[in-house]
């Protein structure tokens, strides 16, 4: 686990970036829920509670590194620097969206920011991320590929195939399991033999690390070592970030149908943003007033993003059949 | 371009496998971002004394490992979802991967990567990523491999928007279509029929210089006036044989070699039918929801007024490919069956 030594070396600017990015994600997701309730948006998978996972990792990444996500990926996108205006427009199906309104919440991509797509099929992006690592290797760059997937996806065969391939070829890939304890409504304890995803790394001869995914500083430390390894050509790392999904799987579904209120309160008491805020204030990296200023800035950014999205036009109707092929014979 | 008139120049006869092997080497030479990967594409990977062990079961990739090395010619573990998915990711980030799906029936273990990622990423990302991925795969009955190694499954792939699908019928168009597939910025599936790779149809003049054959265009393999025969890959060979027989019986058959299963050259088919007024579509794939059914519908909708007979589909039965040679022979649309079907619409 994290040591104070490494934490002590994180620059203030980086700490503030991590706090601000987590807050921006949360404001975005809260707004997405409001848009869903108002009917302008037809449902999303909320990442509230899981903000620290991609933020701690992406703090080490460059624009030319790649992140691949899953159905619950707004936090991955924002952590990788995708513009929230374009994201909100995409959620609303507008032509100004990241994907010109053709992908929506589950497929947000931005190649300029190294966001190679959320993906609606559970486990589907894991092999793709492995190929991104292969590409970096063959092109002789030091780019890194990071794939985020859930505890549900960790039960797909695609993870086994990809871990094996990345290990034998020593590819620069971070396999990050965001263990939020539920595959839709199916508990981790029920579906994961052996009780750990990270332990499976041993079978492939690669490092497997379990980390408190509700601590952005722990995520930062674990991510730093994994990214260093990848860039140095030492191969992949499997990270199991233990986190919690505050809301239901999708849309407005109520998780109290399959988990207890006590359990929810236990995890919500370890909220990643509240803990980071406390850390920043106690260690005098920022004052309460400064952090409230950041909070306000994030709220304003999401208000502006929503206005941008709502005011933007829908795609022209002939876009229905464009982009099927790049070059149609 | 009528390929059927070219073979007899015979200055440089190549088999189907030699032509494919040559185009792979030429494209790798031409473009350093082209890599080849799949099960046993080198064979004996990592063992220096065996680095020319195999070159795949059909030898399409033989010699590439020695020439281009282990970074660009990669034996993979048996993990089709893993390495085809890796091909998708590599294609999205600057490489031009050529991936071997050893037999088309293995689509069952990697369909997600092809149908959900390769085919859809360009569209669902709003055109902001390109996927220059080529997948080549062995198809077809006739060599006693039974149900899981002998299908063609064209329709399965052609059904999905975003994929391009080509099915060469001889060494000349195999080289040109493979080059076009590798250079294309969309994902392309190249179906190589096992009988053609096994030498049916024989060698043919294949120019040494690299060339491409456009994806999406059919070829008039033989001109005729009385009936249109549409062939796909190996069935084109059978159609040409049948056309010879029909000529002996006094009928002039035109053979359309489809070449591209998707996108399909609707105009080439319709132009031929407008001339001959009769059509037999010969497809080795399963009959339900097939490419042949699609062509039949196309002709019925667009050229109904000129037809002298209903469009005729000659296909495999709605059954898995059998093992026993007497049953397998029945499965394939043979020359004899094509002649019979053509006479049916002619008379």
């Amino acid at each position: 686990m994290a040591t104070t030594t490494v934490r002590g070396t994180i620059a203030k600017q980086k700490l503030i970036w991590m706090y601000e990015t987590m807050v921006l994600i949360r404001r975005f997701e809260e707004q997405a829920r409001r848009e869903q309730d108002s009917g302008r948006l037809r449902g999303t998978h909320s990442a509230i509670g899981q903000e620290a996972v991609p933020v701690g990792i992406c703090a080490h990444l460059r624009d030319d590194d790649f992140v691949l996500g899953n159905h619950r990926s707004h936090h991955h996108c924002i952590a990788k620097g995708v513009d929230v205006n374009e994201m909100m427009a995409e959620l609303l199906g507008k032509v100004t969206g990241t994907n010109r309104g053709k992908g929506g919440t589950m497929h947000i991509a931005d190649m300029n920011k190294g966001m190679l797509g959320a993906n609606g099929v559970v486990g589907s992006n894991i092999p793709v991320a492995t190929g991104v690592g292969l590409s970096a290797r063959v092109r002789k760059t030091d780019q890194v590929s990071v794939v985020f997937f859930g505890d549900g996806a960790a039960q797909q065969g695609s993870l086994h195939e990809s871990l094996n391939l990345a290990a034998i070829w020593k590819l620069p890939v971070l396999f990050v399991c965001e263990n939020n304890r539920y595959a839709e409504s199916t508990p981790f304890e029920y579906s994961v033999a052996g009780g750990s995803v990270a332990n499976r790394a041993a079978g492939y001869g690669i490092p497997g690390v379990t980390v408190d995914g509700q601590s952005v500083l722990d995520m930062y430390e674990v991510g730093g070592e994994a990214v260093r390894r990848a860039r140095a050509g030492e191969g992949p790392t499997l990270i199991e970030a233990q986190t919690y999904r505050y809301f239901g799987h999708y849309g407005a579904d109520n998780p109290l149908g399959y988990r207890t209120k006590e359990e929810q309160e236990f995890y919500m008491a370890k909220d990643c943003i509240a803990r980071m805020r406390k850390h920043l204030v106690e260690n005098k990296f920022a004052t309460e007033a400064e952090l409230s200023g950041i909070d306000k800035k994030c709220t304003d950014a999401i208000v502006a993003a929503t206005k941008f999205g709502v005011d933007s036009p829908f795609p022209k109707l002939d876009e229905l059949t464009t982009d099927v092929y790049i070059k149609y014979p | 371009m009528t390929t059927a008139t070219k073979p007899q120049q015979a200055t440089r006869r190549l088999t189907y496998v030699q032509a494919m092997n040559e185009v792979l080497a030429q494209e790798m030479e031409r473009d350093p971002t082209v890599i080849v990967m799949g099960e046993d594409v080198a064979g004996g990977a990592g063992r220096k004394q065996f680095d020319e062990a195999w070159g795949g079961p059909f030898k399409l990739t033989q010699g590439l490992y020695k020439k281009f090395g282990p970074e660009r010619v990669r034996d993979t573990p048996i993990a089709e979802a893993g390495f085809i998915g890796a091909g998708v990711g590599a294609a999205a980030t600057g490489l031009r991967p050529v991936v071997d799906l050893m037999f088309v029936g293995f689509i069952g273990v990697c369909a997600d990567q092809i149908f959900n990622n390769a085919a859809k990423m360009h569209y669902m990302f709003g055109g902001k990523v390109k996927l220059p991925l080529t997948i080549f795969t062995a198809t077809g009955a006739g060599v006693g491999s039974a149900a899981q190694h002998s299908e063609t499954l064209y329709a399965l792939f052609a059904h999905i928007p975003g994929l391009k699908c080509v099915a060469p019928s001889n060494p000349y168009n195999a080289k040109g279509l493979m080059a076009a597939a590798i250079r294309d910025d969309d994902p392309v599936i190249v179906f190589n029929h096992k009988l053609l790779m096994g030498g049916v149809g024989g060698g043919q003049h294949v120019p040494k210089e690299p060339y491409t054959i456009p994806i999406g265009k059919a070829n008039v393999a033989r001109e005729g006036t009385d009936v249109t025969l549409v062939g796909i890959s190996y069935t084109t060979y059978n159609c040409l044989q049948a056309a010879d027989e029909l000529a002996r019986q006094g009928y002039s058959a035109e053979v359309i070699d489809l070449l591209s299963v998707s996108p399909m050259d609707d105009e080439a088919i319709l132009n031929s039918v407008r001339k001959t007024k009769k059509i037999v579509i010969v497809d080795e794939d399963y009959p339900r929801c097939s490419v042949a059914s699609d062509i039949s519908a196309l002709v019925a909708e667009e050229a109904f007024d000129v037809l002298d007979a209903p469009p005729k589909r000659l296909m495999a039965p709605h059954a898995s490919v059998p093992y026993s040679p007497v049953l397998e022979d029945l499965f394939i649309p043979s020359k004899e069956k094509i002649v019979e079907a053509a006479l049916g619409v002619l008379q």
Side-chain angles (χ1 to χ4, degrees):
Chain A
M1 272 300 161
T3 65
T4 46
T5 330
V6 176
R7 282 184 185 187
T9 65
I10 307 174
K12 178 182 167 184
Q13 197 187 2
K14 188 74 90 181
L15 291 169
I16 298 295
W17 178 85
M18 289 195 278
Y19 175 80
E20 180 172 336
T21 305
M22 290 196 296
V23 173
L24 187 64
I25 292 167
R26 187 155 299 181
R27 292 295 97 83
F28 184 91
E29 292 294 68
E30 288 165 352
Q31 183 61 24
R33 288 183 65 80
R34 280 192 285 271
E35 290 298 323
Q36 177 183 296
D37 295 342
S38 79
R40 273 198 298 220
L41 197 161
R42 290 172 288 183
T44 65
H45 301 86
S46 168
I48 291 178
Q50 303 180 203
E51 295 89 343
V53 180
V55 169
I57 303 261
C58 292
H60 299 281
L61 301 182
R62 309 183 304 239
D63 278 356
D64 71 338
D65 292 319
F66 284 98
V67 160
L68 294 96
N70 51 62
H71 55 289
R72 188 183 319 284
S73 248
H74 298 165
H75 55 328
H76 308 138
C77 296
I78 294 173
K80 194 62 176 59
V82 180
D83 180 68
V84 289
N85 287 5
E86 292 183 24
M87 284 178 64
M88 193 61 83
E90 187 62 31
L91 263 54
L92 295 168
K94 300 302 181 72
V95 74
T96 53
T98 47
N99 306 29
R100 303 182 58 77
K102 292 170 104 164
T105 165
M106 283 192 283
H107 304 298
I108 293 172
D110 183 346
M111 293 299 279
N112 294 327
K113 291 291 181 184
M115 182 64 209
L116 188 44
N119 194 313
V121 180
V122 170
S124 190
N125 246 355
I126 303 172
V128 181
T130 307
V132 174
L134 172 64
S135 170
R137 168 156 175 171
V138 172
R139 290 182 295 106
K140 299 187 174 28
T141 73
D142 69 344
Q143 287 163 295
V144 167
S145 172
V146 180
V147 60
F148 294 99
F149 53 92
D151 45 300
Q155 314 322 315
Q156 286 276 27
S158 60
L159 178 61
H160 158 63
E161 296 189 22
S162 302
L163 285 171
N164 187 59
L165 207 56
I168 65 165
W169 288 347
K170 282 199 161 186
L171 301 179
V173 185
L174 274 65
F175 296 91
V176 185
C177 175
E178 222 164 312
N179 177 1
N180 67 16
R181 312 212 69 80
Y182 292 90
E184 297 204 6
S185 66
T186 305
F188 176 83
E189 292 78 8
Y190 170 84
S191 59
V192 182
S196 164
V197 173
N199 283 354
R200 295 176 183 174
Y204 305 96
I206 63 169
V209 189
T210 304
V211 54
D212 178 357
Q214 291 183 286
S215 163
V216 73
L217 295 174
D218 286 1
M219 285 308 307
Y220 182 85
E221 284 188 23
V222 166
E225 170 58 13
V227 169
R228 183 204 64 73
R229 265 177 59 78
R231 290 209 203 283
E234 293 171 25
T237 302
L238 173 60
I239 296 168
E240 178 182 345
Q242 299 190 323
T243 183
Y244 202 70
R245 192 187 70 206
Y246 288 7
F247 291 91
H249 162 68
Y250 178 76
D253 69 358
N254 182 1
L256 289 174
Y258 50 84
R259 66 189 195 190
T260 64
K261 199 157 180 297
E262 292 69 35
E263 181 191 288
Q264 291 189 169
E265 283 164 358
F266 172 79
Y267 285 103
M268 289 177 188
K270 301 196 292 176
D271 182 72
C272 59
I273 294 175
R275 280 162 78 187
M276 184 60 163
R277 190 177 179 104
K278 190 158 173 275
H279 175 82
L280 294 176
V281 173
E282 282 181 356
N283 293 282
K284 304 203 183 329
F285 288 110
T287 63
E288 284 285 356
E290 283 166 340
L291 295 177
S292 297
I294 289 173
D295 294 352
K296 170 82 167 53
K297 189 176 142 198
C298 292
T299 303
D300 291 348
I302 298 306
V303 168
T306 307
K307 179 166 167 42
F308 175 81
V310 169
D311 291 349
S312 288
F314 283 107
K316 290 205 172 68
L317 298 186
D318 64 2
E319 291 230 13
L320 174 65
T321 53
T322 59
D323 301 324
V324 175
Y325 300 103
I326 293 173
K327 287 179 298 184
Y328 197 93
Chain B
M1 177 178 49
T2 54
T3 56
T5 58
K6 289 188 179 178
Q8 301 317 320
Q9 299 169 21
T11 51
R12 196 170 171 274
R13 289 182 83 79
L14 293 191
T15 64
Y16 193 101
V17 167
Q18 287 169 330
M20 286 293 283
N21 191 257
E22 179 170 274
V23 67
L24 281 165
Q26 286 179 345
E27 292 305 305
M28 290 190 80
E29 196 80 60
R30 201 181 67 86
D31 182 348
T33 68
V34 175
I35 65 165
V36 172
M37 62 178 169
E39 293 149 2
D40 309 292
V41 292
R47 296 186 164 174
K48 285 203 176 353
Q49 70 273 35
F50 294 119
D51 63 8
E52 272 304 312
W54 211 16
F58 303 102
K59 316 280 184 209
L60 294 181
T61 50
Q62 200 166 47
L64 298 178
Y65 183 87
K66 230 171 199 169
K67 199 161 181 198
F68 299 101
E71 279 294 299
R72 294 180 64 198
V73 182
R74 287 176 178 262
D75 278 344
T76 63
I78 300 175
E80 286 85 359
F83 69 76
I84 289 180
V88 173
T93 54
L95 294 186
R96 206 167 270 280
V98 181
V99 184
D100 182 9
L101 175 61
M102 195 182 278
F103 293 95
V104 75
F106 301 172
I107 181 65
V109 294
C110 58
D112 176 53
Q113 292 304 324
I114 299 175
F115 296 164
N116 282 325
N117 290 338
K120 291 175 183 154
M121 277 169 77
H122 181 66
Y123 187 90
M124 72 187 180
F125 293 177
K128 291 183 180 172
V129 66
K130 66 175 186 175
L131 274 176
L133 170 70
T134 301
I135 297 171
F136 64 100
T137 187
T139 60
V143 299
S145 301
Q148 296 172 335
H149 288 68
S150 307
E151 300 164 286
T152 53
L153 301 183
Y154 305 131
L156 214 55
F157 294 83
H159 188 64
I160 307 294
L163 296 179
K164 292 175 178 173
C165 307
V166 298
S169 66
N170 63 35
Y172 175 80
N173 57 41
K175 180 173 175 179
L177 284 169
M178 189 65 173
I182 294 171
R183 295 181 198 185
D184 201 288
D185 282 341
D186 289 311
V188 184
I189 317 291
V190 181
F191 299 97
N192 293 312
H193 199 287
K194 286 186 293 181
L195 291 180
L196 299 175
M197 289 192 284
V200 172
Q204 182 183 37
H205 175 67
V206 175
K208 187 170 175 55
E209 303 69 42
Y211 58 92
T212 59
I213 290 177
I215 294 171
K217 295 286 175 220
N219 179 44
V220 180
R222 176 184 176 124
E223 291 191 14
T225 52
D226 297 336
V227 60
T228 298
L229 306 177
V230 178
I232 309 170
S233 183
Y234 171 66
T235 66
T236 296
Y237 171 77
N238 282 351
C239 286
L240 288 167
Q241 304 292 306
D244 285 342
E245 175 58 30
L246 288 166
R248 279 191 286 276
Q249 299 189 30
Y251 296 104
S252 164
E254 177 148 301
V255 178
I256 302 288
D257 186 1
L258 197 62
L259 295 181
S260 278
V261 170
S262 180
M264 201 165 69
D265 191 349
D266 295 1
E267 274 315 301
I269 296 163
L270 293 171
N271 286 340
S272 181
V273 171
R274 287 186 188 117
K275 180 169 66 171
T276 65
K277 306 183 185 345
K278 294 168 276 303
I279 186 166
V280 178
I281 309 138
V282 189
D283 183 355
E284 192 183 317
D285 205 354
Y286 304 125
R288 303 277 178 256
C289 310
S290 61
V291 170
S293 300
D294 209 34
I295 294 174
S296 179
L298 169 79
V299 170
E301 286 177 15
E302 302 293 332
F304 188 76
D305 51 333
V306 304
L307 288 175
D308 283 348
K312 170 71 183 167
R313 293 172 301 145
L314 179 62
M315 305 199 62
H318 186 64
S320 295
V321 184
Y323 174 71
S324 173
V326 298
L327 299 177
E328 190 179 24
D329 285 351
L330 271 182
F331 183 91
I332 301 168
S334 63
K335 175 189 111 178
E336 291 73 23
K337 284 189 209 161
I338 299 171
V339 171
E340 189 188 330
L343 292 174
V345 298
L346 280 161
Q347 289 158 1

PDB file of all heavy atoms in Angstrom, chain A residues 79-99:
ATOM      1  N   ALA A  79     -11.115  12.018 -16.904  1.00  0.00           N
ATOM      2  CA  ALA A  79      -9.761  11.879 -16.353  1.00  0.00           C
ATOM      3  C   ALA A  79      -8.709  11.932 -17.457  1.00  0.00           C
ATOM      4  O   ALA A  79      -7.583  12.373 -17.240  1.00  0.00           O
ATOM      5  CB  ALA A  79      -9.639  10.571 -15.571  1.00  0.00           C
ATOM      6  N   LYS A  80      -9.071  11.487 -18.666  1.00  0.00           N
ATOM      7  CA  LYS A  80      -8.113  11.490 -19.773  1.00  0.00           C
ATOM      8  C   LYS A  80      -8.135  12.823 -20.518  1.00  0.00           C
ATOM      9  O   LYS A  80      -7.374  13.010 -21.464  1.00  0.00           O
ATOM     10  CB  LYS A  80      -8.420  10.329 -20.736  1.00  0.00           C
ATOM     11  CG  LYS A  80      -7.306  10.003 -21.741  1.00  0.00           C
ATOM     12  CD  LYS A  80      -6.014   9.554 -21.063  1.00  0.00           C
ATOM     13  CE  LYS A  80      -4.914   9.128 -22.001  1.00  0.00           C
ATOM     14  NZ  LYS A  80      -4.432  10.075 -22.966  1.00  0.00           N
ATOM     15  N   GLY A  81      -8.992  13.730 -20.075  1.00  0.00           N
ATOM     16  CA  GLY A  81      -8.937  15.072 -20.641  1.00  0.00           C
ATOM     17  C   GLY A  81      -9.948  15.363 -21.728  1.00  0.00           C
ATOM     18  O   GLY A  81      -9.871  16.399 -22.400  1.00  0.00           O
ATOM     19  N   VAL A  82     -10.911  14.475 -21.922  1.00  0.00           N
ATOM     20  CA  VAL A  82     -11.936  14.729 -22.938  1.00  0.00           C
ATOM     21  C   VAL A  82     -12.791  15.916 -22.482  1.00  0.00           C
ATOM     22  O   VAL A  82     -13.106  16.059 -21.297  1.00  0.00           O
ATOM     23  CB  VAL A  82     -12.807  13.477 -23.177  1.00  0.00           C
ATOM     24  CG1 VAL A  82     -13.876  13.755 -24.240  1.00  0.00           C
ATOM     25  CG2 VAL A  82     -11.938  12.293 -23.590  1.00  0.00           C
ATOM     26  N   ASP A  83     -13.144  16.759 -23.427  1.00  0.00           N
ATOM     27  CA  ASP A  83     -13.872  17.998 -23.148  1.00  0.00           C
ATOM     28  C   ASP A  83     -15.299  17.711 -22.650  1.00  0.00           C
ATOM     29  O   ASP A  83     -16.044  16.978 -23.305  1.00  0.00           O
ATOM     30  CB  ASP A  83     -13.906  18.816 -24.446  1.00  0.00           C
ATOM     31  CG  ASP A  83     -14.626  20.120 -24.269  1.00  0.00           C
ATOM     32  OD1 ASP A  83     -14.110  20.978 -23.544  1.00  0.00           O
ATOM     33  OD2 ASP A  83     -15.736  20.277 -24.842  1.00  0.00           O
ATOM     34  N   VAL A  84     -15.668  18.297 -21.515  1.00  0.00           N
ATOM     35  CA  VAL A  84     -16.998  18.004 -20.958  1.00  0.00           C
ATOM     36  C   VAL A  84     -18.127  18.600 -21.791  1.00  0.00           C
ATOM     37  O   VAL A  84     -19.244  18.071 -21.792  1.00  0.00           O
ATOM     38  CB  VAL A  84     -17.126  18.459 -19.476  1.00  0.00           C
ATOM     39  CG1 VAL A  84     -16.286  17.569 -18.571  1.00  0.00           C
ATOM     40  CG2 VAL A  84     -16.783  19.926 -19.295  1.00  0.00           C
ATOM     41  N   ASN A  85     -17.848  19.678 -22.513  1.00  0.00           N
ATOM     42  CA  ASN A  85     -18.885  20.215 -23.407  1.00  0.00           C
ATOM     43  C   ASN A  85     -19.246  19.175 -24.471  1.00  0.00           C
ATOM     44  O   ASN A  85     -20.420  18.882 -24.710  1.00  0.00           O
ATOM     45  CB  ASN A  85     -18.378  21.467 -24.136  1.00  0.00           C
ATOM     46  CG  ASN A  85     -18.293  22.674 -23.226  1.00  0.00           C
ATOM     47  OD1 ASN A  85     -18.527  22.564 -22.022  1.00  0.00           O
ATOM     48  ND2 ASN A  85     -17.947  23.820 -23.791  1.00  0.00           N
ATOM     49  N   GLU A  86     -18.195  18.644 -25.096  1.00  0.00           N
ATOM     50  CA  GLU A  86     -18.438  17.658 -26.149  1.00  0.00           C
ATOM     51  C   GLU A  86     -19.051  16.377 -25.591  1.00  0.00           C
ATOM     52  O   GLU A  86     -19.853  15.717 -26.244  1.00  0.00           O
ATOM     53  CB  GLU A  86     -17.121  17.335 -26.880  1.00  0.00           C
ATOM     54  CG  GLU A  86     -16.589  18.495 -27.689  1.00  0.00           C
ATOM     55  CD  GLU A  86     -15.318  18.137 -28.464  1.00  0.00           C
ATOM     56  OE1 GLU A  86     -15.118  16.943 -28.738  1.00  0.00           O
ATOM     57  OE2 GLU A  86     -14.543  19.043 -28.762  1.00  0.00           O
ATOM     58  N   MET A  87     -18.673  16.026 -24.366  1.00  0.00           N
ATOM     59  CA  MET A  87     -19.256  14.822 -23.749  1.00  0.00           C
ATOM     60  C   MET A  87     -20.738  15.013 -23.481  1.00  0.00           C
ATOM     61  O   MET A  87     -21.552  14.142 -23.768  1.00  0.00           O
ATOM     62  CB  MET A  87     -18.532  14.494 -22.441  1.00  0.00           C
ATOM     63  CG  MET A  87     -17.164  13.854 -22.645  1.00  0.00           C
ATOM     64  SD  MET A  87     -16.344  13.533 -21.064  1.00  0.00           S
ATOM     65  CE  MET A  87     -17.453  12.328 -20.316  1.00  0.00           C
ATOM     66  N   MET A  88     -21.096  16.182 -22.926  1.00  0.00           N
ATOM     67  CA  MET A  88     -22.507  16.411 -22.615  1.00  0.00           C
ATOM     68  C   MET A  88     -23.320  16.477 -23.906  1.00  0.00           C
ATOM     69  O   MET A  88     -24.431  15.936 -23.982  1.00  0.00           O
ATOM     70  CB  MET A  88     -22.675  17.692 -21.787  1.00  0.00           C
ATOM     71  CG  MET A  88     -24.051  17.849 -21.159  1.00  0.00           C
ATOM     72  SD  MET A  88     -24.479  16.510 -20.009  1.00  0.00           S
ATOM     73  CE  MET A  88     -23.663  17.060 -18.499  1.00  0.00           C
ATOM     74  N   ALA A  89     -22.740  17.110 -24.929  1.00  0.00           N
ATOM     75  CA  ALA A  89     -23.433  17.161 -26.226  1.00  0.00           C
ATOM     76  C   ALA A  89     -23.632  15.746 -26.774  1.00  0.00           C
ATOM     77  O   ALA A  89     -24.682  15.418 -27.340  1.00  0.00           O
ATOM     78  CB  ALA A  89     -22.627  18.008 -27.212  1.00  0.00           C
ATOM     79  N   GLU A  90     -22.646  14.899 -26.571  1.00  0.00           N
ATOM     80  CA  GLU A  90     -22.767  13.516 -27.050  1.00  0.00           C
ATOM     81  C   GLU A  90     -23.896  12.786 -26.314  1.00  0.00           C
ATOM     82  O   GLU A  90     -24.695  12.073 -26.925  1.00  0.00           O
ATOM     83  CB  GLU A  90     -21.435  12.776 -26.850  1.00  0.00           C
ATOM     84  CG  GLU A  90     -21.398  11.382 -27.453  1.00  0.00           C
ATOM     85  CD  GLU A  90     -21.580  11.370 -28.965  1.00  0.00           C
ATOM     86  OE1 GLU A  90     -21.169  12.345 -29.630  1.00  0.00           O
ATOM     87  OE2 GLU A  90     -22.152  10.385 -29.485  1.00  0.00           O
ATOM     88  N   LEU A  91     -23.946  12.988 -25.019  1.00  0.00           N
ATOM     89  CA  LEU A  91     -25.012  12.346 -24.235  1.00  0.00           C
ATOM     90  C   LEU A  91     -26.400  12.787 -24.717  1.00  0.00           C
ATOM     91  O   LEU A  91     -27.365  12.030 -24.641  1.00  0.00           O
ATOM     92  CB  LEU A  91     -24.860  12.685 -22.745  1.00  0.00           C
ATOM     93  CG  LEU A  91     -24.144  11.648 -21.874  1.00  0.00           C
ATOM     94  CD1 LEU A  91     -22.780  11.280 -22.416  1.00  0.00           C
ATOM     95  CD2 LEU A  91     -24.021  12.138 -20.428  1.00  0.00           C
ATOM     96  N   LEU A  92     -26.454  14.021 -25.197  1.00  0.00           N
ATOM     97  CA  LEU A  92     -27.743  14.549 -25.655  1.00  0.00           C
ATOM     98  C   LEU A  92     -27.982  14.271 -27.139  1.00  0.00           C
ATOM     99  O   LEU A  92     -28.977  14.710 -27.702  1.00  0.00           O
ATOM    100  CB  LEU A  92     -27.809  16.057 -25.368  1.00  0.00           C
ATOM    101  CG  LEU A  92     -27.786  16.412 -23.862  1.00  0.00           C
ATOM    102  CD1 LEU A  92     -27.548  17.904 -23.660  1.00  0.00           C
ATOM    103  CD2 LEU A  92     -29.082  15.982 -23.169  1.00  0.00           C
ATOM    104  N   GLY A  93     -27.039  13.529 -27.760  1.00  0.00           N
ATOM    105  CA  GLY A  93     -27.224  13.130 -29.163  1.00  0.00           C
ATOM    106  C   GLY A  93     -26.979  14.243 -30.159  1.00  0.00           C
ATOM    107  O   GLY A  93     -27.538  14.242 -31.265  1.00  0.00           O
ATOM    108  N   LYS A  94     -26.128  15.205 -29.806  1.00  0.00           N
ATOM    109  CA  LYS A  94     -25.919  16.366 -30.659  1.00  0.00           C
ATOM    110  C   LYS A  94     -24.689  16.204 -31.557  1.00  0.00           C
ATOM    111  O   LYS A  94     -23.737  15.492 -31.215  1.00  0.00           O
ATOM    112  CB  LYS A  94     -25.759  17.619 -29.782  1.00  0.00           C
ATOM    113  CG  LYS A  94     -26.987  17.912 -28.907  1.00  0.00           C
ATOM    114  CD  LYS A  94     -28.261  18.084 -29.716  1.00  0.00           C
ATOM    115  CE  LYS A  94     -29.485  18.395 -28.868  1.00  0.00           C
ATOM    116  NZ  LYS A  94     -29.493  19.733 -28.320  1.00  0.00           N
ATOM    117  N   VAL A  95     -24.714  16.918 -32.665  1.00  0.00           N
ATOM    118  CA  VAL A  95     -23.645  16.778 -33.662  1.00  0.00           C
ATOM    119  C   VAL A  95     -22.310  17.347 -33.171  1.00  0.00           C
ATOM    120  O   VAL A  95     -21.246  17.002 -33.671  1.00  0.00           O
ATOM    121  CB  VAL A  95     -24.069  17.411 -35.008  1.00  0.00           C
ATOM    122  CG1 VAL A  95     -24.046  18.945 -34.918  1.00  0.00           C
ATOM    123  CG2 VAL A  95     -23.195  16.915 -36.152  1.00  0.00           C
ATOM    124  N   THR A  96     -22.362  18.197 -32.167  1.00  0.00           N
ATOM    125  CA  THR A  96     -21.134  18.750 -31.584  1.00  0.00           C
ATOM    126  C   THR A  96     -20.501  17.788 -30.575  1.00  0.00           C
ATOM    127  O   THR A  96     -19.487  18.109 -29.971  1.00  0.00           O
ATOM    128  CB  THR A  96     -21.442  20.071 -30.860  1.00  0.00           C
ATOM    129  OG1 THR A  96     -22.519  19.813 -29.942  1.00  0.00           O
ATOM    130  CG2 THR A  96     -21.858  21.169 -31.818  1.00  0.00           C
ATOM    131  N   GLY A  97     -21.113  16.641 -30.372  1.00  0.00           N
ATOM    132  CA  GLY A  97     -20.602  15.674 -29.412  1.00  0.00           C
ATOM    133  C   GLY A  97     -19.295  15.048 -29.861  1.00  0.00           C
ATOM    134  O   GLY A  97     -18.916  15.133 -31.032  1.00  0.00           O
ATOM    135  N   THR A  98     -18.623  14.417 -28.930  1.00  0.00           N
ATOM    136  CA  THR A  98     -17.342  13.755 -29.221  1.00  0.00           C
ATOM    137  C   THR A  98     -17.450  12.827 -30.423  1.00  0.00           C
ATOM    138  O   THR A  98     -16.513  12.688 -31.198  1.00  0.00           O
ATOM    139  CB  THR A  98     -16.889  12.912 -28.013  1.00  0.00           C
ATOM    140  OG1 THR A  98     -18.016  12.134 -27.565  1.00  0.00           O
ATOM    141  CG2 THR A  98     -16.368  13.768 -26.885  1.00  0.00           C
ATOM    142  N   ASN A  99     -18.593  12.171 -30.560  1.00  0.00           N
ATOM    143  CA  ASN A  99     -18.782  11.181 -31.625  1.00  0.00           C
ATOM    144  C   ASN A  99     -19.828  11.655 -32.639  1.00  0.00           C
ATOM    145  O   ASN A  99     -20.477  10.841 -33.285  1.00  0.00           O
ATOM    146  CB  ASN A  99     -19.235   9.839 -31.035  1.00  0.00           C
ATOM    147  CG  ASN A  99     -18.334   9.312 -29.954  1.00  0.00           C
ATOM    148  OD1 ASN A  99     -17.682  10.069 -29.245  1.00  0.00           O
ATOM    149  ND2 ASN A  99     -18.272   8.007 -29.825  1.00  0.00           N
TER     150      ASN A  99
END
